[in-house]
Amino acid sequence: MKAVEIQGFGAPDVLKIASRPVPNPVSGEVLVRVMAAGVNRPDLLQRMGKYPPPPGVSDIPGLEIAGEIVESHHPDWGVGDRVCALLAGGGYAEYAVVPGGQCLPVPHGLNMVQAAALPETAFTVWNNVFVRGHLKADETVLIHGGSSGIGTTAIQMAKALGARVVITAGNDDKCAACIKLGADIAINYKTQDFVAEIAKIGGVDVILDMVGGDYVPRNLDCLKLDGRHVSIASLNGAKAEIDIRTIMQKRIIMTGSTLRPRSVEEKSSLAHGLRTNIWPLIEAGKITPLIHATFPLADAAKAHALLESGNMAGKIVLET
Ligand SMILES: NC(=O)c1ccc[n+]([C@@H]2O[C@H](COP(=O)([O-])OP(=O)(O)OC[C@H]3O[C@@H](n4cnc5c(N)ncnc54)[C@H](OP(=O)(O)O)[C@@H]3O)[C@@H](O)[C@H]2O)c1
């Protein structure tokens, strides 16, 4: 099969099309003929040698795919089923092996490109905003990086489940795109102080943070009583100085998680939660993955360069 290899760590042009054996599924797994593969920021880190795949996982990048099952060793799935799936690696290829529990049906009404853009962000947002952050209808959530793949999914899921959504983004166009997607308030953090803006609405209940660093103490200032702070990345720094008294006085819960190293059982449980709570909303047209651009598999380097530039709103997807 054709697959994208990382031939030496570095700039996007280390991504090269190569020939690899089709992987063999074992008990509990399915083999998927990949039709589309989502591109995610962790793929950039893997390409640079900063985010190695977990032990036993393919060195081919790619954390999410959509396609058709061509061999099944899992009771829930059969040959010909159209699925999208969360992978620990190996998505930038014509075939990929995945545990059956990490597959979900391609939602009715979505094409393969849209379906491939779902798993990484849907699993991450469901896990962090709803399972860990316990966002409820009528509460308010602040989503940093609102125009990112994670952000655009979080906006739609939070709105569809009845929450009020505030986002931050780095320019007015990105803010406008987030409002169009359903965000109630968009803050351009380059021209506005998000803490002052949030104070005007009396605070937020949950914060989804991918920035870290000096955002963390400022985030705590934005939380209401019993607020939840959920970290999923530290784009601006992994260390933060916070006033512990703020946590006590506001009874704040600080949590966070990483998705990739979680067990198959944990990912399967998240898939179950998504299928029950989110898939019906997708099929009802209330959540639609925002696709910024697609590239052929052979142009994975161009896709990475675009993601690295930050000049996009929504997801970038490779087509095989
Ligand atoms: N913990 C987990 O389980 C998990 C799972 C998936 C992804 N993630 C992480 O979540 C983050 C978002 O993922 P994604 O795929 O949606 O990423 P993405 O589309 O590349 O978006 C990253 C966003 O972060 C914003 N940003 C803020 N400060 C930044 C900085 N210093 N450098 C670069 N961007 C900055 C950018 O928006 P502005 O231009 O508006 O600032 C950009 O839209 C990534 O860091 C990713 O690694 C975590």
Side-chain angles (χ1 to χ4, degrees), residues 4 15 34-44 46 60-67 83-93 96 111-121 149 260 289-297 300 303-304 307 314-320:
V4 175
L15 298 176
V34 178
M35 289 168 186
V39 177
N40 292 283
R41 195 154 278 265
D43 308 348
L44 309 183
Q46 181 173 342
I60 298 168
L63 302 174
E64 59 185 351
I65 54 162
V83 293
C84 54
L86 181 76
L87 312 182
Y92 293 12
N111 60 34
M112 286 290 180
V113 165
Q114 292 172 309
L118 277 174
E120 177 73 9
T121 60
R260 197 177 192 183
L290 185 66
I291 309 296
H292 179 80
T294 61
F295 292 88
L297 190 63
H304 273 218
L307 184 58
K315 296 275 302 196
I316 298 168
V317 178
L318 301 174
E319 289 184 275
T320 61

Side-chain angles (χ1 to χ4, degrees), residues 39-45 51 63-64 120-121 123-125 127-128 144-153 167-171 174-175 178 187-190 208-212 215 231-237 256-262 306-316:
V39 177
N40 292 283
R41 195 154 278 265
D43 308 348
L44 309 183
L45 298 177
Y51 191 41
L63 302 174
E64 59 185 351
E120 177 73 9
T121 60
F123 277 74
T124 301
V125 172
N127 180 30
N128 288 288
H144 288 302
S147 71
S148 66
I150 297 284
T152 53
T153 302
I167 67 95
T168 64
N171 66 40
K174 289 182 177 185
C175 285
C178 293
I187 302 169
N188 178 341
Y189 67 84
K190 295 215 170 124
L208 182 67
D209 184 56
M210 59 182 72
V211 184
Y215 265 39
S231 298
I232 58 161
S234 50
L235 288 165
N236 268 357
S257 69
T258 54
L259 183 62
R260 197 177 192 183
R262 306 286 289 277
L306 176 58
L307 184 58
E308 228 153 51
S309 77
N311 291 326
M312 75 284 158
K315 296 275 302 196
I316 298 168

Side-chain angles (χ1 to χ4, degrees), residues 73-300:
H73 301 272
H74 189 280
D76 291 352
W77 301 109
V79 171
D81 286 347
R82 288 157 52 86
V83 293
C84 54
L86 181 76
L87 312 182
Y92 293 12
E94 288 179 318
Y95 292 88
V97 153
V98 57
Q102 291 173 211
C103 294
L104 285 150
V106 170
H108 298 297
L110 260 54
N111 60 34
M112 286 290 180
V113 165
Q114 292 172 309
L118 277 174
E120 177 73 9
T121 60
F123 277 74
T124 301
V125 172
W126 176 250
N127 180 30
N128 288 288
V129 176
F130 297 95
V131 178
R132 306 197 73 76
H134 296 286
L135 181 68
K136 297 178 204 67
D138 300 326
E139 286 191 328
T140 305
V141 59
L142 169 62
I143 299 162
H144 288 302
S147 71
S148 66
I150 297 284
T152 53
T153 302
I155 292 168
Q156 295 188 72
M157 278 169 57
K159 282 306 291 178
L161 289 169
R164 186 181 190 204
V165 174
V166 185
I167 67 95
T168 64
N171 66 40
D172 288 343
D173 287 345
K174 289 182 177 185
C175 285
C178 293
I179 294 284
K180 206 170 159 200
L181 266 185
D184 298 284
I185 300 172
I187 302 169
N188 178 341
Y189 67 84
K190 295 215 170 124
T191 56
Q192 292 170 290
D193 172 7
F194 75 82
V195 181
E197 295 304 313
I198 297 287
K200 290 180 193 164
I201 59 161
V204 297
D205 300 283
V206 175
I207 298 179
L208 182 67
D209 184 56
M210 59 182 72
V211 184
D214 65 354
Y215 265 39
V216 179
R218 298 172 69 205
N219 285 340
L220 298 189
D221 288 341
C222 294
L223 282 171
K224 293 183 188 173
L225 283 181
D226 294 309
R228 287 85 74 195
H229 184 279
V230 190
S231 298
I232 58 161
S234 50
L235 288 165
N236 268 357
K239 298 216 166 135
E241 192 172 315
I242 55 172
D243 187 334
I244 291 163
R245 288 169 299 184
T246 312
I247 296 180
M248 295 187 290
Q249 284 154 4
K250 294 193 185 179
R251 304 186 293 270
I252 288 167
I253 293 173
M254 296 189 77
T255 183
S257 69
T258 54
L259 183 62
R260 197 177 192 183
R262 306 286 289 277
S263 68
V264 171
E265 290 69 30
E266 287 170 312
K267 289 175 184 169
S268 303
S269 159
L270 292 172
H272 182 72
L274 281 170
R275 196 164 177 173
T276 308
N277 297 285
I278 299 297
W279 253 231
L281 298 170
I282 297 174
E283 295 189 340
K286 292 188 177 168
I287 299 171
T288 310
L290 185 66
I291 309 296
H292 179 80
T294 61
F295 292 88
L297 190 63
D299 284 341

Side-chain angles (χ1 to χ4, degrees), residues 1-3 20-26 29-34 58 60 65 70-71 73 87 89-91 93-98:
M1 67 172 184
K2 283 192 199 126
R20 287 280 188 105
V22 173
N24 288 315
V26 297
E29 293 181 333
V30 297
L31 178 66
V32 180
R33 162 81 183 89
V34 178
S58 168
I60 298 168
I65 54 162
V70 291
E71 191 180 329
H73 301 272
L87 312 182
E94 288 179 318
Y95 292 88
V97 153
V98 57

